[in-house]
Amino acid sequence: MMQSRKNIEDFWAHVEHTIDQLLTSRSENQFDADALLSGYRETLQKIDRNLTFHFEKDAEDGAIEMIFGCDGYPESIHSVLSLVGAAPSLAGIQFKAFNHRYDPIPSHINVADEICELDDYWYSLRTIDNKLHLAVYMHDVPKVLEMDPRTEAVMIFLDALIGEYELMTRIWSLDWIELPVDPVDYGLSPLSELRDCFDGMKHGVEPIGIKIH
């Protein structure tokens, strides 16, 4: 515990001393200080090997946000919350835990130069034994999920629809299933409608982790 606290303190000390250098390296929505970003990642790995971060620009006030996550591993949620809870207050940047819901929800996402449309995906959400089971339906379900940009796009859509934290703590399982010819006949709904359905069901289950099949 003491070592973890020290690693968190070391990370934020590193950020405090280098944040001006990072911000001045910004070119449009990218940061060109590759060595500095690599240093952040290496320091984070000492805290928890699952920790990740990325940058976003707030559409309303233009502030830069550094958003931390744990790549979908619920056992590392505490690490993210502890890290962000210890964040200093620095001018020009805000530190946040997990990807929050987006409004408006993006209609398409570009992943590895492949345009993925929200309308291409359908879902079913069921409560079984007081646990939420989500199934995503798509054409040509890949045999290796991690190798297909569409699955990454769906995970981004899910973050946008219901938020990364609730995805990890309310959804018990996530399955990927071949889309039938007529999804409506199978009782499926467009993925774009997931938020309202999820919000109506989430309070009936206890917060839990996520298992991806």
Side-chain angles (χ1 to χ4, degrees):
M1 183 67 70
M2 291 295 293
Q3 184 61 45
S4 177
R5 186 179 299 115
K6 183 180 184 306
N7 289 337
I8 289 175
E9 291 173 352
D10 288 346
F11 173 79
W12 288 121
H14 185 195
V15 171
E16 284 189 277
H17 286 115
T18 57
I19 194 65
D20 288 341
Q21 180 184 347
L22 177 70
L23 294 177
T24 56
S25 76
R26 185 172 173 229
S27 175
E28 295 183 354
N29 290 326
Q30 299 293 326
F31 292 101
D32 297 326
D34 292 339
L36 188 56
L37 296 176
S38 295
Y40 289 172
R41 292 187 182 93
E42 291 173 6
T43 310
L44 281 178
Q45 292 291 300
K46 296 178 182 178
I47 301 169
D48 187 315
R49 61 186 177 86
N50 295 326
L51 289 179
T52 63
F53 71 88
H54 68 277
F55 295 93
E56 290 186 8
K57 181 179 178 182
D58 189 283
E60 293 184 0
D61 59 16
I64 299 298
E65 300 175 340
M66 189 175 187
I67 301 175
F68 296 89
C70 52
D71 208 19
Y73 292 95
E75 65 268 25
S76 297
I77 289 174
H78 177 72
S79 295
V80 177
L81 297 178
S82 297
L83 176 67
V84 176
S89 178
L90 300 177
I93 191 165
Q94 299 175 3
F95 305 106
K96 293 187 175 181
F98 305 111
N99 290 313
H100 293 205
R101 297 180 175 196
Y102 292 177
D103 284 305
I105 300 166
S107 61
H108 63 276
I109 293 172
N110 187 335
V111 178
D113 294 327
E114 181 169 341
I115 302 298
C116 303
E117 301 284 347
L118 179 61
D119 290 343
D120 289 340
Y121 305 99
W122 293 65
Y123 81 94
S124 66
L125 184 65
R126 299 178 296 163
T127 301
I128 303 175
D129 296 329
N130 202 37
K131 298 171 182 176
L132 283 178
H133 295 259
L134 174 63
V136 173
Y137 292 77
M138 60 190 294
H139 288 298
D140 300 322
V141 175
K143 294 181 179 179
V144 182
L145 295 174
E146 294 81 1
M147 299 297 290
D148 194 303
R150 296 175 301 157
T151 59
E152 181 179 347
V154 170
M155 297 307 297
I156 296 173
F157 282 133
L158 292 177
D159 285 350
L161 285 158
I162 64 177
E164 183 181 11
Y165 181 78
E166 290 200 300
L167 176 62
M168 286 189 292
T169 59
R170 296 286 182 178
I171 300 296
W172 176 258
S173 67
L174 172 57
D175 293 302
W176 305 79
I177 303 175
E178 187 68 26
L179 184 67
V181 174
D182 193 338
V184 176
D185 281 352
Y186 283 80
L188 308 183
S189 300
L191 189 60
S192 59
E193 299 177 4
L194 174 63
R195 180 181 292 178
D196 288 343
C197 178
F198 173 80
D199 285 348
M201 300 173 66
K202 68 179 181 181
H203 297 296
V205 299
E206 292 295 323
I208 41 88
I210 185 171
K211 297 179 181 179
I212 299 180
H213 302 286

